[in-house]
Amino acid sequence: MNSTKKKHSHWGIFVNNTSDRAHFINTLTHGSPPPPLLFLKNKTGAMLTNAALEHFMMEEDRHDLKLLTTHTSQSLRSMSSGERKKVLLRNILKSTPDFILLDDPFDNLDLDSQLDLKKRLEVIARETSILQLISRKRDLLPFIDHLAHLKGQDFIPLKNAATGLSPGLQTLNTGEIPPPLYPMPQTTRSLVQFKNVSVRYGDKNILNSIHWTVHKGEFWQLMGMNGSGKTTLLSMITGDNPKGYGQDLYLFGQKKGTGESIWELKEKMGYFTPAMTDKFAGYHTLENMVVSGLTDSIGLYTRPNEAQLRLAADWLKLIGLWKFRHSHFHELTPGQQRLVMIVRAMVKHPLLLILDEPTAGMDDASAELLIHLVNKMARESDTALIFVSHRIEPGLRPDLVYELDMTPTGSVGTQRPT
């Protein structure tokens, strides 16, 4: 009698602005999957999700115990998003789960890492069911044999990837971006200047002789493989990394460590990374969210004046969210939250705006709208922009690219026009 090897089911689950990912993940964690996935009931699952990573980081912080990073001197929190995913996957594969849930697994991974992960998952899929939450259609794993759409909390099977994926997004309104209330003075043309800057952690070389200058009004894309030092480079600019002291690093014309405070630096910058949205879980209205960008505060604790309210209104009208001005931030879809957070970072027209993986986890339509806004801000302002992404985003129009290439002695940087 011939025995037939059991075929494992693999699901690709499309998510967009309407999707309640947290609820879906919770149903799997607590053993109550939707009917099409009942074959997973009472099965052991492993989660490659941001929530799982946050759990491990909190445990490391709370107990000063290295759970996933025993192979390196780095803590999990000090790693880039892509490096964290690799570490968590390595830990998952040490066990033998019945299924693995992958939440946008290719976000924050460089192209080589994406290809490597796909090959590894194809092998894993022979023995383990894979569930892939997908924001971008081009990320669909080739072995996926079932499709669904997560609409709110509803799990809806699909016949093909083209059906049931309307995100219901607004579009940008016409007109130029609102001007600042008070233009920021800048006496030097160069805003950021690295001169032969190197960084080393223990016996690991991170950056090697970096030379990079960002001038007023330039639009840069910062690229590089996972672990190449992009996070280190950015943290030196924002003032959150002490490695900048004692080196030829100049911020807004002043050498690092010659008397400037971190708050003086931050008031000249705007910064956004998707993790920031977690800091604004309170009951802040959209109006107050935008105005708080003028005061660099988490929330608004003083009554805004008429000029500030008019400015907030102009920005909210531009991004099509004026009718939600009295809604609370946590009531918005993730895509709408990203737009508001980027507007908040830009509202004062900072000398420098850093956008760190702003499209991570966004569906195709939401990312397209965000890219449109970023291009518009770069084109219609004197703010210098640094856009960090592992993806080649269709439609992004940077002037220049700065790319970090890894070498045994640390990453070296090269710049080129687009």
Side-chain angles (χ1 to χ4, degrees), residues 98-112:
D98 297 311
F99 70 92
I100 300 175
L101 175 68
L102 309 168
D103 187 3
D104 273 325
F106 301 116
D107 270 345
N108 309 115
L109 293 183
D110 57 64
L111 294 178
D112 288 346

Side-chain angles (χ1 to χ4, degrees), residues 38-66:
L38 282 177
F39 69 95
L40 298 176
K41 192 174 179 64
N42 300 322
K43 300 291 186 180
T44 302
M47 308 288 173
L48 184 65
T49 65
N50 289 331
L53 283 167
E54 186 60 35
H55 166 76
F56 280 110
M57 285 190 286
M58 289 179 65
E59 287 298 301
E60 278 194 356
D61 294 343
R62 184 179 295 120
H63 303 295
D64 194 24
L65 182 66
K66 293 168 72 66

